[in-house]
Amino acid sequence: MTMTTGGIAGEMAEATAGAVWTKTCVALKRELGEATFGSWLGQAALRERGEDVCLVAATGVARDWIRRHAWRRIGELWAQNDPMGRALDLKSRMEFDQAAPASPMVTVGSPAAAVAVARAETGLTGNVIEIEVDLTAPRAARQQGLQERFSFDTFVAGPANEFAFAVARRVASWADGHFNPVLFHGPYGFGKTHLLNAMAWEAMRTAPGKRVVYLTAERFTSTFVKAVQDRQTAAFKEELRNADLLLIDDVQFVAGKTSTQEELFHTLMALIEDGRRVVMTADRSPAELSEMEPRLRSHLQAGLVCGIEPADRTLRLGILERKLATLAGQGRFVPSAKAEVLEFLADRFTDSVRELEGALNTLVARVGGEVARLSLDEAQAILRPNLSCTEKRVTVDQIQKAVAEHYGLKQADMISERRARAVARPRQAAMWIAKQITTRSLPDIGRRFGGRDHTTVLHAVRRIEALKADDPVLARDLDTLLRKLRS
């Protein structure tokens, strides 16, 4: 019996690891539900290295959840859908990256893939990783103020920023069909500067012959003012308007500066009309930049406005794991910390990724490679000065009121003897929050919850700790309440 070329191609397409995983995901979404699937498996990626196939979870916490609650079923579905009988492994992103062989895996659309294609087309051979695309580009970039640690490889993506991340990758790859201009906006410490730096590095590596210009709005202003004073405005305009990609950070700082806004507007128009790319960041959406000149604000709104939301708990844990791996590489120690310590950091530092990373920096600076042995109490003691400076004073009464409102209860339910789950679980959550963000002792918290014993509070805290790791809805509720109480 013979098989047509089309039939063989069809079977091969259906047998690819990606196709098998797609079929597996369809069944998992149906069985787990969209919310649970999205929280724990939505950020996972299937990666191939040679003949090995690995499911890479976003964080160690996500990996552990998948192993406990879904791994057996994933194995069954994978075996049913994979005619080649390949084994499927499970790792966190950090574990997978650390296990990378000396010859890196090349993926479509990556810088390594672009260089590999260039080598193939020119007939060059050798290890892709040893190529320098442009020896002068990093030096020039540093002079522009770019930071080498801010790259796409060190950016941790999650639901809060995955759209912004995808847009940034597309622009940096010089793909056609891009929006112009692109504006990323969000509060300080949400990763906007990281994305802008990553775009600059990627764009220069992908197309060494193109001009990439990165400026902060402050530098744009000061350079323009100096050019006016020195009667060098023509040179200033030529420098910027010859850029193939112009990146401006914190554009809100030009608001209220009439001449600078005028120059930025004409620069923006000249680049767009010439088919060049412009990307900016701001701490607010264009509609909220009330002091900005209306024409400039209107043109920023006319492109792609991309908001970056606060990092959720899973993303914060991923950021901590990535940062710990980086610090471990610099200090040459094992990149490990107790889960309870990382979870404490992720739950306490929710408003800014910079503050989150700063807290981990403080721990590593104090104990170095011993961070893996650090207990939760020891970590809290080291960070107490940081917490007292940044923590807003929140009372148990405020916590009870916020939790009751969130769950549609009365505040009196928080101190009542009612044991129905609809009341008991929110009450336990309120006790957990009180333990996290107040300085009250367990007996003191118990007294404020209807005269309960400290062992009841301890049980509530431990119960919520166990539940929030497996219940994405509860985790989101706690995250929302913590953010509301600290705002």
Side-chain angles (χ1 to χ4, degrees):
M1 183 176 68
T2 61
M3 183 177 290
T4 65
T5 303
I8 295 173
E11 283 202 357
M12 290 179 64
E14 291 182 0
T16 64
V20 175
W21 178 239
T22 298
K23 291 179 182 178
T24 302
C25 285
V26 170
L28 287 171
K29 277 186 184 179
R30 186 170 58 249
E31 294 174 12
L32 296 174
E34 289 283 348
T36 301
F37 180 90
S39 296
W40 299 106
L41 282 155
Q43 300 173 53
L46 197 72
R47 304 290 295 274
E48 293 182 81
R49 184 173 282 146
E51 296 181 357
D52 298 328
V53 185
C54 182
L55 179 62
V56 181
T59 68
V61 174
R63 174 207 59 206
D64 293 342
W65 187 93
I66 293 170
R67 194 177 297 281
R68 286 198 306 269
H69 300 281
W71 190 237
R72 178 179 296 178
R73 183 55 178 154
I74 288 173
E76 293 171 352
L77 292 169
W78 179 267
Q80 291 172 15
N81 293 314
D82 184 19
M84 298 177 64
R86 287 164 290 200
L88 180 64
D89 196 9
L90 174 65
K91 285 184 171 67
S92 69
R93 186 181 300 168
M94 186 173 72
E95 288 174 331
F96 186 85
D97 291 343
Q98 288 173 345
S103 180
M105 178 181 63
V106 177
T107 57
V108 176
S110 69
V115 177
V117 171
R119 277 185 167 275
E121 289 177 349
T122 55
L124 297 173
T125 59
N127 195 336
V128 172
I129 203 70
E130 296 175 354
I131 301 174
E132 274 293 337
V133 175
D134 184 354
L135 293 174
T136 63
R139 186 179 298 110
R142 279 192 294 272
Q143 291 171 356
Q144 291 183 27
L146 291 173
Q147 300 181 61
E148 293 182 47
R149 65 192 178 96
F150 289 152
S151 67
F152 284 134
D153 290 337
T154 59
F155 189 88
V156 181
N161 59 27
E162 60 187 353
F163 178 63
F165 183 65
V167 170
R169 296 290 312 237
R170 181 170 179 80
V171 174
S173 69
W174 304 98
D176 293 330
H178 62 281
F179 292 91
N180 215 7
V182 174
L183 177 75
F184 298 110
H185 70 87
Y188 291 109
F190 280 25
K192 303 186 301 296
T193 297
H194 191 145
L195 273 182
L196 223 56
N197 275 254
M199 292 173 67
W201 290 117
E202 182 84 352
M204 287 187 292
R205 291 191 184 101
T206 305
K210 292 183 180 290
R211 289 196 74 242
V212 177
V213 177
Y214 168 88
L215 289 168
T216 62
E218 182 183 13
R219 187 172 178 186
F220 178 94
T221 301
S222 61
T223 306
F224 172 65
V225 170
K226 190 174 187 305
V228 172
Q229 292 172 343
D230 297 343
R231 298 182 180 179
Q232 295 291 324
T233 54
F236 173 81
K237 293 178 180 180
E238 183 179 1
E239 177 73 16
L240 293 185
R241 297 181 191 184
N242 282 334
D244 295 291
L245 172 60
L246 176 64
L247 304 157
I248 298 182
D249 204 3
D250 289 326
V251 73
Q252 73 273 3
F253 284 123
V254 305
K257 300 177 176 68
T258 305
S259 298
T260 304
Q261 289 184 96
E262 185 77 14
E263 180 58 32
L264 181 58
F265 170 77
H266 289 299
T267 298
L268 176 64
M269 293 304 299
L271 289 170
I272 291 175
E273 288 173 2
D274 203 26
R276 313 298 177 94
R277 304 174 188 223
V278 181
V279 183
M280 300 183 186
T281 70
D283 63 350
R284 288 156 285 163
S285 68
E288 297 174 289
L289 297 172
S290 56
E291 295 182 8
M292 183 169 282
E293 199 271 329
R295 286 188 307 168
L296 179 56
R297 187 170 68 242
S298 174
H299 277 82
L300 292 179
Q301 290 175 302
L304 176 60
V305 179
C306 186
I308 301 179
E309 301 296 325
D312 62 14
R313 189 172 189 266
T314 302
L315 180 55
R316 293 196 297 271
L317 286 168
I319 290 168
L320 286 170
E321 290 184 354
R322 174 73 72 173
K323 181 68 176 178
L324 185 59
T326 301
L327 293 172
Q330 295 169 352
R332 297 182 181 179
F333 57 84
V334 177
S336 177
K338 292 183 177 179
E340 61 182 8
V341 173
L342 295 181
E343 289 171 2
F344 163 72
L345 295 177
D347 289 332
R348 183 56 70 97
F349 298 93
T350 60
D351 295 329
S352 167
V353 172
R354 290 194 186 116
E355 290 181 7
L356 181 67
E357 292 183 337
L360 183 59
N361 286 339
T362 300
L363 295 181
V364 173
R366 285 287 296 274
V367 302
E370 296 298 307
V371 70
R373 301 178 184 175
L374 201 65
S375 70
L376 177 58
D377 288 341
E378 290 169 335
Q380 290 174 330
I382 291 172
L383 293 172
R384 190 164 290 125
N386 304 57
L387 299 175
S388 61
C389 290
T390 60
E391 195 67 66
K392 172 189 170 185
R393 295 284 294 180
V394 179
T395 67
V396 174
D397 181 73
Q398 290 171 324
I399 293 170
Q400 291 174 348
K401 187 179 297 184
V403 172
E405 288 177 356
H406 184 82
Y407 286 102
L409 302 172
K410 297 177 181 178
Q411 188 174 349
D413 291 328
M414 295 291 103
I415 60 174
S416 73
E417 293 298 323
R418 294 179 60 191
R419 296 186 178 183
R421 183 174 178 177
V423 175
R425 188 57 49 75
R427 184 189 297 130
Q428 289 177 328
M431 291 179 181
W432 179 86
I433 292 172
K435 175 67 169 63
Q436 297 297 311
I437 66 175
T438 73
T439 58
R440 301 290 181 185
S441 65
L442 294 180
D444 202 4
I445 293 172
R447 282 193 292 272
R448 283 164 169 75
F449 278 85
R452 285 173 165 80
D453 188 78
H454 78 280
T455 57
T456 302
V457 180
L458 182 59
H459 170 75
V461 170
R462 288 175 174 171
R463 182 64 177 153
I464 293 298
E465 283 289 345
L467 287 173
K468 67 187 176 71
D470 300 332
D471 187 343
V473 175
L474 176 61
R476 282 196 297 271
D477 286 345
L478 294 171
D479 205 36
T480 300
L481 286 163
L482 285 170
R483 198 177 302 281
K484 179 180 179 179
L485 287 162
R486 286 171 172 151
S487 63

